Amino acid sequence: MDESKLKRCSTSSTHAEAVDEATDPLQNADKRELDDSETEVNSRKKQKQEEETTEKKKECCFDTKDAKGNNERTIFVTGFDNSGSRDEIRSALAKHFSSCGELTRVFVHIECETGVSRGYAFINLKNRVGIEAALTLNGSDLGGRKLLVTMARLRDEYYGHFNFKGCEICRASYAAGRLRLYRWNLRTGGGKFRRFSPEFEEKCRRHHEETMASRKMNKSKTKEG
């Protein structure tokens, strides 16, 4: 009887060991899956943290001292090469318009998400003689490209930055620009009242007409070509 009991105990123990050996791979697989899921969660958290830090480091378009300062004597410039950085474009424009007199402001508009220039800039000069000299640089060459130079108040970009995808500060500035346009229309009757001398207003009007005519000619030439 004792020997039979011992045999039964030994067989049961060997059976239990075999069952444990069979279940161990399943448990190991479950542990591996849990470890993999934990690593994925940790990697996602790190990725989110990195994205948040990069968003904080992005430069806002209006987070500079030159962002504010548009007025009715501001010059609008476009047509330059916008592949360079903001500082490179600013220095190139400042050098190009340095012959017109003292520059008080050169503001290059960029996209906050990419840092790429939107292709236009605002320039302020110290006196009216410099403004007239800057307008004569319309069609001048800068880096192999022809510039379009006109009064900023004749452009929509002066009142608001249209089709712009920026940060919350940029959107707030856009809303402020639209409000500024509304107030300007109320104060001046939609630009009917003269804010400069008649000679200067007439010169600006002719300059705008010549600019639009040259743009139409260039478009027609490109279509024919």
Side-chain angles (χ1 to χ4, degrees), residues 55-56 58-63 68 109-113 161 164-177:
E55 286 179 358
K56 290 179 181 178
K58 287 177 182 176
E59 183 183 6
C60 176
C61 179
F62 297 98
D63 193 17
K68 296 181 180 180
H109 204 291
I110 63 169
E111 291 182 353
C112 299
E113 296 180 355
H161 306 283
F164 180 71
K165 295 180 180 179
C167 61
E168 294 180 357
I169 299 174
C170 296
R171 287 190 283 272
S173 178
Y174 171 78

Side-chain angles (χ1 to χ4, degrees), residues 21 47 102 117 200:
E21 289 177 357
Q47 187 176 1
E102 183 179 353
S117 170
F200 188 69

Side-chain angles (χ1 to χ4, degrees), residues 47-61:
Q47 187 176 1
K48 286 182 180 179
Q49 290 177 357
E50 290 176 356
E51 289 177 355
E52 289 176 357
T53 53
T54 51
E55 286 179 358
K56 290 179 181 178
K57 291 180 181 178
K58 287 177 182 176
E59 183 183 6
C60 176
C61 179

Side-chain angles (χ1 to χ4, degrees), residues 62-201:
F62 297 98
D63 193 17
T64 58
K65 63 180 181 180
D66 296 329
K68 296 181 180 180
N70 282 353
N71 53 44
E72 294 176 357
R73 296 186 179 183
T74 302
I75 298 295
F76 177 86
V77 183
T78 186
F80 51 83
D81 184 12
N82 62 345
S83 61
S85 64
R86 191 179 197 180
D87 294 333
E88 291 174 352
I89 296 172
R90 187 189 293 114
S91 61
L93 291 174
K95 184 178 180 180
H96 188 73
F97 286 90
S98 60
S99 61
C100 302
E102 183 179 353
L103 302 177
T104 59
R105 172 177 173 260
V106 179
F107 176 61
V108 180
H109 204 291
I110 63 169
E111 291 182 353
C112 299
E113 296 180 355
T114 59
V116 178
S117 170
R118 296 205 66 216
Y120 60 88
F122 296 105
I123 297 177
N124 287 71
L125 292 102
K126 191 172 183 179
N127 51 32
R128 187 171 294 178
V129 177
I131 296 173
E132 294 178 356
L135 292 175
T136 60
L137 293 179
N138 181 45
S140 59
D141 182 80
L142 178 61
R145 299 193 178 188
K146 289 186 178 181
L147 296 180
L148 172 64
V149 184
T150 185
M151 296 300 296
R153 62 190 179 88
L154 301 176
R155 301 282 302 194
D156 292 335
E157 292 86 350
Y158 173 76
Y159 305 101
H161 306 283
F162 297 93
N163 299 324
F164 180 71
K165 295 180 180 179
C167 61
E168 294 180 357
I169 299 174
C170 296
R171 287 190 283 272
S173 178
Y174 171 78
R178 301 306 300 169
L179 181 61
R180 187 167 62 250
L181 173 61
Y182 174 72
R183 290 175 178 174
W184 183 78
N185 286 329
L186 289 178
R187 188 173 67 252
T188 63
K192 295 178 182 178
F193 306 136
R194 289 174 177 169
R195 308 302 298 272
F196 295 100
S197 63
E199 294 81 7
F200 188 69
E201 288 284 344

